[in-house]
Amino acid sequence: MSDTKAIFTGDRCLSCTSCMANCPVMAAIKDYRGPKLVGPAHGRMHFSQEDVEESLNYCSNCKSCDRACPSGVAVSTLNMLQRAEYYKNHPHLRSEDMLAHGERMANLIRKIPFGATFSNLGMSIGKALGVFSALGIAGERNMPAYAATPFKDAFSSIKQTSSAKKVVLFTGCFINDNEPQVGNAFVKVMNANGYEVLIDRRFKCCGSPLVVTGFLDEAHQHADNNVARILDWKRQGIPVVTPCTSCSLMLKEEYHELFGDDKFHEAATNVYDAFEFLEMLQEHGEFNDNFKTLNQRLLYHVPCHLKSQAIGLPAQDILEEAGAKVNLADAGCCGISGNYGFRKDKYEISMKIGAKLFERVKQHDFDKVICDCGTCRMQIHHGTDIKPVHPIEILAQAY
Ligand code: SF4
Ligand code: SF4
C-alpha cells in the first residue's frame, strides 16, 4: 500500500493556512470554511467518528490547495474521500447523478438513431423551458453538444501509415463525445512524428466526474479497469497518451492518492499528457520540427489540473518553437472545475472565480485562446463569447 494515499498525508499538516490563501472558492464565498479545516483537520476527526462538515460541499476539487501546501498534504483528495463518506448516508441529487454519469448518458444516446441530433435539440429546448434548472443544473449554461459521430467510431476511417512506434490515445469522454476534432489533431501530430495512434475501446471514463460527486466505489471500478488496460499496454511497450489534463491527472496521480494500491503507481509511469510526450520526444532528438511557421498570437489559460502535474508548460514551449507567440493569461482558476460550475447552486461561485480570466480574455490582444481542458474551454466561451481551442489543434496546423 502506497504512503502517497491521501489519508496518510493529513498528519503532515502544519496549520500554515497557505492552502486557505490559495483556495479560489474560499475567496468567492464566505460560507466555505476552507481546505485546512475541511481537509486535514476535520478529516482526522471524520475518519474516527460520525461527523459531517456541511461546507465540504463547496470544494470544487480544483487542487489549488495541494499545490500551495508546503507539506505535501493531498488536501483536495482528502476532501473528495470525505465527500464519498458523506454520500454513504445521504442520497445523491438527480443533478449530481446526471453530471457524474456523462459517459453512461452518451452511450445511451448513441444507441438511438440520430440520438446525438435529437439530444442536442432536446438540450436546447430543455434549456429554453427551464427543465435543466428544475433538475438542479445551472439554466444559464449550454450543456456540451454531442458530436454527430464519436471520435472512436470515426477513428477507423482516419488514414494512418503503420509504424513500429505506437501510442494509445486515451480520449476521455469530452474528446470522444463532444470534441472529436481534438482527437483528429492529436492523430495528425503523432503521425507527423512517426507514431501510429491506437485506441482501446475497453477504457472507461477516467472517473473524475464520479469522484467529485461522491460516487467513489464506481470511480474505483473505473480505476481498476483502466489501470489493467494501461498495464497491459505497458507490457507491450506502448505508452498511453491523453490530450485531456483532467484525465491525465486522474490516471497519473489521483488514482493512487484515492485508492493507494501500488499498481496505480506502476500504471502512472506509462501515462503522459500529450505535450509532455511531445516534449519528451524533443529531449530525445526525435521530435519533428519541420514546421510551417505558426504566425499567431495565442493567449494560454493553463488549466489547474495541468499545473498540478508539475510538468511545466510543454504546450507553450512547443508552440513557441513552431513560431507562435504564447502569452499566459495568468488569471487563476477559470471556476468551472469539471461539473462543479454546471450545478445550479455553484454557478454564481463558478462565474465569480472566473471573472478575472474573463476580463483578461476580453482584452482581445491575441488571435486565439488556447487551453488543454475541455470544461475550461467551455467556461471561457460561456464567460466571454470567445471560443478557445486545444493547443494540439494549433500544433496540427503547423504540419
Ligand atoms: S480543491 Fe480547490 S476548492 Fe477545494 S479546498 Fe482545494 S483550493 Fe479550495
Ligand atoms: S497548506 Fe498544507 S500544511 Fe498548510 S494548513 Fe494547508 S494542509 Fe496544512
Side-chain angles (χ1 to χ4, degrees):
M1 186 68 70
S2 164
D3 66 0
T4 55
K5 191 172 180 183
I7 53 167
F8 299 135
T9 67
D11 286 343
R12 297 183 202 151
C13 178
L14 309 165
S15 289
C16 71
T17 71
S18 171
C19 52
M20 297 169 73
N22 285 279
C23 174
V25 172
M26 221 181 155
I29 178 146
K30 62 177 175 20
D31 293 345
Y32 183 35
R33 301 178 77 189
K36 178 174 80 77
L37 183 109
V38 173
H42 201 89
R44 278 191 290 251
M45 291 189 277
H46 183 87
F47 288 121
S48 62
Q49 65 190 52
E50 183 90 4
D51 200 2
V52 170
E53 167 51 51
E54 292 288 348
S55 84
L56 171 63
N57 184 259
Y58 284 111
C59 174
S60 72
N61 199 34
C62 71
K63 302 196 163 283
S64 304
C65 48
D66 300 21
R67 294 194 301 278
C69 177
S71 299
V73 180
V75 191
S76 57
T77 302
L78 281 168
N79 288 358
M80 294 307 109
L81 289 167
Q82 287 182 86
R83 185 171 286 170
E85 288 292 308
Y86 173 86
Y87 282 110
K88 282 183 182 165
N89 304 309
H90 298 79
H92 278 96
L93 302 173
R94 216 157 17 150
S95 56
E96 291 165 340
D97 186 63
M98 277 177 70
L99 291 170
H101 294 97
E103 183 182 49
R104 181 182 70 191
M105 180 63 77
N107 289 341
L108 279 173
I109 283 164
R110 299 296 185 191
K111 289 198 171 108
I112 305 165
F114 305 105
T117 311
F118 287 130
S119 175
N120 291 339
L121 187 64
M123 286 193 290
S124 305
I125 295 168
K127 183 183 174 190
L129 295 177
V131 174
F132 288 131
S133 182
L135 289 171
I137 292 172
E140 297 86 345
R141 292 209 186 266
N142 292 320
M143 296 301 277
Y146 291 108
T149 310
F151 176 80
K152 287 177 189 165
D153 288 357
F155 179 75
S156 60
S157 63
I158 301 177
K159 291 202 179 4
Q160 300 187 72
T161 310
S162 103
S163 168
K165 296 196 285 186
K166 300 181 199 301
V167 291
V168 174
L169 167 60
F170 185 94
T171 62
C173 305
F174 196 72
I175 293 172
N176 186 54
D177 293 314
N178 309 104
E179 294 202 337
Q181 71 274 15
V182 177
N184 294 337
F186 175 83
V187 175
K188 185 177 176 192
V189 168
M190 293 313 299
N191 288 173
N193 280 279
Y195 276 80
E196 182 184 348
V197 177
L198 311 176
I199 55 165
D200 181 345
R201 285 187 168 272
R202 286 173 287 181
F203 275 129
K204 293 183 171 182
C205 163
C206 70
S208 179
L210 296 165
V211 170
V212 296
T213 32
F215 292 91
L216 197 64
D217 291 343
E218 229 178 303
H220 202 160
Q221 288 166 12
H222 284 228
D224 284 341
N225 173 80
N226 292 340
V227 160
R229 302 304 315 132
I230 294 166
L231 291 175
D232 195 20
W233 289 113
K234 187 176 179 187
R235 281 188 284 277
Q236 299 175 58
I238 301 179
V240 174
V241 184
T242 176
C244 172
T245 43
S246 293
C247 294
S248 52
L249 184 67
M250 185 57 90
L251 301 175
K252 290 203 280 187
E253 292 183 19
E254 290 181 278
Y255 281 171
H256 62 76
E257 279 185 4
L258 288 160
F259 309 121
D261 196 296
D262 285 341
K263 71 180 178 184
F264 296 115
H265 268 306
E266 195 194 334
T269 62
N270 198 41
V271 178
Y272 300 88
D273 164 76
F275 276 91
E276 177 188 23
F277 189 80
L278 292 168
E279 198 158 66
M280 204 167 65
L281 295 184
Q282 209 171 34
E283 282 160 16
H284 296 158
E286 295 170 13
F287 181 66
N288 175 5
D289 57 5
N290 192 15
F291 302 122
K292 284 181 249 168
T293 302
L294 289 174
N295 196 13
Q296 297 186 39
R297 295 167 308 152
L298 305 171
L299 183 71
Y300 187 12
H301 169 65
V302 181
C304 293
H305 289 180
L306 175 62
K307 289 180 191 163
S308 290
Q309 294 182 40
I311 55 173
L313 301 174
Q316 180 186 26
D317 299 341
I318 289 175
L319 290 172
E320 285 190 336
E321 194 181 320
K325 169 125 186 54
V326 183
N327 283 324
L328 302 182
D330 198 19
C333 177
C334 76
I336 197 160
S337 279
N339 62 33
Y340 185 84
F342 283 91
R343 295 169 61 159
K344 189 175 173 180
D345 60 334
K346 302 296 184 302
Y347 175 77
E348 293 298 337
I349 300 170
S350 156
M351 294 302 282
K352 196 170 169 187
I353 294 170
K356 189 174 169 197
L357 176 61
F358 304 151
E359 283 313 305
R360 176 64 192 89
V361 171
K362 284 177 185 169
Q363 289 174 18
H364 219 301
D365 51 352
F366 49 81
D367 300 310
K368 280 255 186 264
V369 182
I370 55 170
C371 176
D372 320 59
C373 169
T375 49
C376 295
R377 291 196 293 277
M378 287 192 75
Q379 173 80 331
I380 295 167
H381 192 192
H382 180 67
T384 66
D385 268 341
I386 294 169
K387 193 168 176 1
V389 298
H390 192 292
I392 203 91
E393 294 178 79
I394 301 288
L395 183 61
Q397 295 168 15
Y399 288 116

